[in-house]
Amino acid sequence: MKNQLRIIGGEWKRRQLAFASIEGLRPTPDRVRETLFNWLMWDIQNTKVLDLCAGSGALAFEALSRGAAHVVMIEPDRTQAQFLSQNLELLKVTKARAQLKVSTAQQALPTLKEQFDLVFLDPPYALDLWTSLAELADPLIKQDALIYIEADRDLPLLQLPASWQLIKSTKAGTVRAGLYQKK
């Protein structure tokens, strides 16, 4: 069984991408994604992006569509990783622009050597991984980089690194989203 998501803007605007039906996998809602990428409009070009919990790939593909230079996607579910891989091929994304790590973020993060300008931290809500993944990812995040967080609870409850300052936030239904900057 597969589902579809639509890219909102950029080079692949309106393209439909398939993703697996997996419990807990929920693409960032279109309205929230549109808000996020309006926030990032002037900051996305030529960035190095880390998508810690890629899932459907909605955020990573949207970033690539809008001019990110390089994206690292981490996805532990092999079935969904196959969909991500197929979507990269469908969109003719080169290996220089996108890397897919089929593992948990906890396993993949210590192996990464590069520094990132933009990080997406949107784990499955039930796993409650915000604090632990933020701590693991923090050394890979450049000074002044942006970090997008999506959660099912108020953002101040997440216990994020003190150097991450909330600069914008929004709410859509049960989804709380925030854009942080590392100071």
Side-chain angles (χ1 to χ4, degrees):
M1 176 84 183
K2 67 179 184 177
N3 299 310
Q4 297 277 318
L5 70 91
R6 181 178 55 88
I7 294 177
I8 295 170
E11 181 185 348
W12 304 315
K13 186 175 183 174
R14 294 191 191 86
R15 289 292 296 266
Q16 299 278 336
L17 299 178
F19 64 94
S21 283
I22 298 168
E23 189 177 335
L25 179 63
R26 39 146 198 80
T28 298
D30 283 10
R31 197 173 76 183
V32 175
R33 222 173 339 133
E34 194 157 354
T35 298
L36 167 63
F37 284 93
N38 284 341
W39 292 343
L40 296 173
M41 191 181 316
W42 310 111
D43 299 305
I44 193 85
Q45 288 292 319
N46 300 315
T47 54
K48 285 183 125 181
V49 179
L50 174 60
D51 192 346
L52 286 166
C53 305
S56 69
L59 297 176
F61 286 111
E62 198 74 50
L64 285 166
S65 181
R66 293 170 186 248
H70 182 74
V71 174
V72 174
M73 292 184 270
I74 303 173
E75 174 53 46
D77 185 281
R78 292 200 176 285
T79 302
Q80 180 49 33
Q82 193 59 44
F83 276 93
L84 293 171
S85 189
Q86 289 165 359
N87 287 332
L88 287 167
E89 285 176 34
L90 174 76
L91 297 171
K92 298 178 175 56
V93 179
T94 64
K95 295 216 183 311
R97 280 197 74 203
Q99 191 179 9
L100 174 59
K101 301 232 174 234
V102 184
S103 77
T104 66
Q106 296 92 323
Q107 293 165 326
L109 284 169
T111 70
L112 297 176
K113 301 293 179 246
E114 63 235 271
Q115 294 276 295
F116 295 93
D117 306 296
L118 175 61
V119 175
F120 298 130
L121 177 51
D122 177 19
Y125 297 161
L127 299 181
D128 194 14
L129 294 171
W130 295 278
T131 305
S132 61
L133 291 182
E135 288 168 0
L136 277 172
D138 191 57
L140 301 171
I141 301 172
K142 288 181 183 173
Q143 191 78 17
D144 296 322
L146 297 170
I147 305 114
Y148 169 75
I149 302 222
E150 193 176 305
D152 61 350
R153 60 199 77 171
D154 289 333
L155 299 174
L157 301 175
L158 299 180
Q159 299 175 320
L160 301 170
S163 60
W164 295 14
Q165 295 180 343
L166 182 65
I167 52 175
K168 296 184 184 212
S169 63
T170 189
K171 183 181 170 208
T174 60
V175 175
R176 311 283 196 288
L179 189 64
Y180 292 76
Q181 188 166 35
K182 182 175 177 175
K183 292 294 179 186

